[in-house]
Amino acid sequence: MKKILLAVVTLALFAALVACGGGSGGNEAAQGQDGDGRVLEALPPLTTAPIHLRFAMWDDIDHNQWLADRFTDHHPNITISVEHFGGTGVYHSNLLAEAAAGNMPDLWGKLEISTPIVNGWFYDFSDFWFNDPDVEHYLEHLRPQGVIDGRAIMVVTEHLPAVVYVDRAVFNRLNVPMPRFDWTYEEMLSLIEHMTRPDMGIFGYNFFVAPVTIAPIAKIGGYAEFGWDGNNLNMRGPWADALNWMANARRLGWEAQYGSAEWEALTGDAFMWPGTSGRVAMQLDAFWTMSNIYLRDHYRIERGLDMIPYTMPTSEGAPNNNKIAWLDFAAISAGTRHPREAYEVLKWMSFLPQAWMYRIQDFPVRIREDGEPYYLMPNHVPTTNCPDVMEAFFGILPIAPGDTFMEEAWRAFLRLSTEPVTWGGRVLPGFDQWVHEIYHNGEFNGVIGIEAAVFDGLADAHDFAADLEASFRPFYDSMMAEFRMWMGPPRN
Amino acid sequence: MEKVIHANTFRMKCVKLANKIKGLRKSMRISGRTRRNWFYAYAFLMPWLIGVFLLLIYPLYTSFSFSRSQVRFPPTGLVQFPVGWENYTNIFALDTVFMTGLVSFTLQLIPQMAIIVSFALIISMLLNGRIKARGLFRAVFFLPVIIATGPVMSELINEGVATVPAVNLSAIANAMDFLPPMVLEPIVGLFTQLIMILWNSGVQILIFLAALQKINPEQYEAAKMDGASGWECFWKITSPALRPMLFLNVIYTVVWLANSDQNPIINMLHIRMIAGVLGPGGMPGGYGHASAMAWVYSIVVLLIIGLCWVVLHERKDKDKPETKRLEQKSYLPKRREIVRKLRKSDMEGIGVDKR
């Protein structure tokens, strides 16, 4: 089976090269026009001298090293080491230590944007980016998200959409038809209420991705969390409604009460995660949960979970189809001695169709040390708009033979996940600091944290929305001042 | 003429100074043996001295220097922009989150410390008694010290085993809702960390046990012969003997809690240092700000320790007459007298009532 799969993928690889182009980089001769008819300057040639580049990451090291080695196959003078800088908890502090020693890697993945801004880590690769025809292969919606002040500074290497896992087993038990794949936000909320059956110990939902994050994107098409429109947060409408709704949902028992005595009575374990209890109709979660949990036999067979992936819904009349996702950006170090070559590596590790075909080839065959498959399914989706890559990617998704509903669900999922936006801290300078200092630690009617205050029934989110919006500005402005201190004034 | 007088006076002063130095050299002449002793002393001290300079004084100096700068880490290496005392003034003038956290920490620390020390005292007294499998119980109570380190503790907390689900927090909060939120929240917070608090008492139990085992059992025997109750024995014998250890345990507990991985202030420092590059209201953050916070925090912890010292230290001047009085009242001379009498009566062939 694996051999057939490999053969299919290899064939698709060549098909993609023919159909989408976007080879292994080095577009020095590719002078021409971009999609808007703008004349592009030729990029400088890549060096022919042997060089070594270091790429810092926190996850998927073996897979990415394998992919980097494929780059070296095409450019034998450029070797790359993908280095593990610890998990998400220590990653940035390890990078800081490396920078303090003047030993910063040439390329690095980033979790949040503020630390790199304040320390001047970004290399401005606008001269390459705005003259590179390969950028046409990059998902259009992602292109502006790595540009600040007109300067191209980062590219998405991994796109991990947020997912609503709808438990088909629970829906079948209650004899409720499954929702349509292009459902609306309002339909989801109504289903959460409808699917709550206290007499049967079934809850409408449990969340890792909260409705306060989803609602402003679903309703007003925010470009990051909390209704960010490119200039300001907009919290007075959907955010405030969603927070009040969440408090209400908790009071009315629509949300599974993890850690409570009632939950212990139902499941026998007060701390059993509701997402694997078989008692929630919808789990609002991350893309990797499918591979890490829902495809494992223990949950699928023994607990009887049958999770169908749905995209985050959009509200009717929303201006766009934006969906919240984890976008893992990577950037070039301001201290690198090989920016041109680092730029090619960055593209390769991000969106080039040929590189994506290699990724698709590697996902199903990568094995752990204990002999188990590393990925039961890919843990992120393509960042390229190449249709052949998408088709090849669809080919390696875990769909049981004959399960046409699941097949349809995945097709809809991939079709609807092409307009991702991400968490505030990843793209909005100063956002994480504001969330920590004001949103979670500010005092609201005598309670620390706005969410706690609303959940405790001591505050109405609408009363604080305007103040919260205004309070973000100084954080953002100060961080932008830091950005301009290192990078210079905005670029037209 | 004046110039000549001045020159003479100056020359005389120089001669006097030279004689003085000569005298000093003479008096400071060091024998070879002393030199050798010095050499051995410093050879033995050297690892400690190197450790102190490298691991204490230099980091302290660096931290203080950071606290008076804005620190940045560009790819080419560390850069410090001096800002004077700005980080400190920002903490007191702008950083309401840190100051609120500090007050909350202090309010929580004191009852936590009291619970840990009291629990440790009770358990150590139980473990000092004659019970079966005493060694096993001692090992059980000390076990958390070995296994419940930072990452293990974090994992246990994530699993929810550090809390008691049966405790109804809202009922506790309702019962004390007359208190201001700033006081109420730390108290309610105590109940959420009850198991963790108890886990943190292993070392304290050990210290109390060591002290309890040093008390001469004859003192208890003598007291009981005089009809003293267990309660009286505790206050008249155990408690005075444990007092120095109580002080030691209180300091140990304060320092332990102040440096714990679960301490919210430590977490806040970490966030401000790494991710928290900007503080509230656009205030410059990062390592500089975090270092200033760490210094302020250290001073607060030292003040708490100072307060404990004021309350618990042994007042020598006042204690002296008390000690004398206790010596006079001591049960030991009485016991010796009774034993002498008994021996005498034995020798005289009079039976001893062994009741």
Side-chain angles (χ1 to χ4, degrees), chain A residues 236-442:
Chain A
R236 275 171 258 198
W239 171 84
D241 292 340
L243 188 51
N244 285 344
W245 181 91
M246 283 173 71
N248 204 33
R250 188 167 288 184
R251 265 194 298 277
L252 295 171
W254 302 345
E255 182 197 337
Q257 290 300 301
Y258 171 78
S260 68
E262 293 80 19
W263 186 249
E264 188 172 18
L266 268 177
T267 60
D269 178 1
F271 294 98
M272 176 189 278
W273 185 51
T276 53
S277 65
R279 292 185 175 279
V280 293
M282 281 164 270
Q283 171 69 28
L284 281 51
D285 218 281
F287 190 73
W288 59 82
T289 311
M290 192 67 163
S291 172
N292 291 355
I293 294 176
Y294 293 140
L295 288 176
R296 304 271 159 196
D297 286 349
H298 173 68
Y299 300 105
R300 208 166 46 84
I301 298 167
E302 291 170 32
R303 294 228 182 135
L305 300 179
D306 186 8
M307 292 298 195
I308 308 291
Y310 277 65
T311 50
M312 286 289 157
T314 305
S315 201
E316 230 166 85
N320 53 39
N321 197 25
N322 288 358
K323 314 266 184 212
I324 186 77
W326 279 263
L327 298 180
D328 292 348
F329 289 87
I332 299 172
S333 166
T336 184
R337 284 181 294 155
H338 311 288
R340 173 71 184 94
E341 291 73 22
Y343 172 73
E344 285 305 321
V345 173
L346 190 63
K347 273 169 25 186
W348 178 260
M349 303 301 275
S350 169
F351 61 86
L352 288 183
Q354 188 183 8
W356 255 101
M357 280 302 183
Y358 280 122
R359 277 193 194 276
I360 291 166
Q361 197 180 336
D362 187 55
F363 277 132
V365 294
R366 184 148 295 281
I367 301 292
R368 284 182 206 275
E369 281 175 5
D370 59 6
E372 289 294 307
Y374 206 99
Y375 303 102
L376 290 179
M377 61 170 275
N379 66 348
H380 55 115
V381 301
T383 46
T384 174
N385 49 18
C386 176
D388 297 300
V389 169
M390 295 309 285
E391 199 51 41
F393 183 81
F394 179 77
I396 57 167
L397 290 175
I399 301 167
D403 191 350
T404 50
F405 188 79
M406 183 65 107
E407 191 179 326
E408 212 183 315
W410 275 120
R411 282 219 180 271
F413 188 88
L414 293 180
R415 191 180 70 246
L416 294 168
S417 298
T418 53
E419 293 178 34
V421 293
T422 196
W423 306 95
R426 296 189 173 220
V427 283
L428 293 185
F431 185 87
D432 272 351
Q433 289 66 44
W434 171 78
V435 164
H436 177 257
E437 306 289 344
I438 307 288
Y439 191 85
H440 287 315
N441 283 303

Side-chain angles (χ1 to χ4, degrees), chain B residues 174-190:
Chain B
N174 287 339
M176 295 189 288
D177 63 356
F178 55 89
L179 294 169
M182 196 184 241
V183 180
L184 182 63
E185 274 174 27
I187 294 174
V188 175
L190 270 180

Side-chain angles (χ1 to χ4, degrees), chain B residues 76-125:
Chain B
T76 44
L78 185 147
V79 181
Q80 280 179 257
F81 304 104
V83 292
W85 297 101
E86 192 186 300
N87 287 328
Y88 289 91
T89 50
N90 281 346
I91 284 174
F92 291 102
L94 300 172
D95 200 346
T96 50
V97 175
F98 176 63
M99 293 315 286
T100 316
L102 205 56
V103 172
S104 161
F105 161 77
T106 312
L107 287 173
Q108 217 165 19
L109 179 93
I110 292 166
Q112 268 188 11
M113 179 256 292
I115 291 174
I116 290 174
V117 174
S118 315
F119 176 78
L121 180 61
I122 293 165
I123 296 295
S124 59
M125 287 178 70

Side-chain angles (χ1 to χ4, degrees), chain A residues 62-70 358-359 361-362 366:
Chain A
D62 295 341
H63 170 70
N64 282 312
Q65 181 63 63
W66 183 84
L67 185 66
D69 291 343
R70 302 291 73 74
Y358 280 122
R359 277 193 194 276
Q361 197 180 336
D362 187 55
R366 184 148 295 281

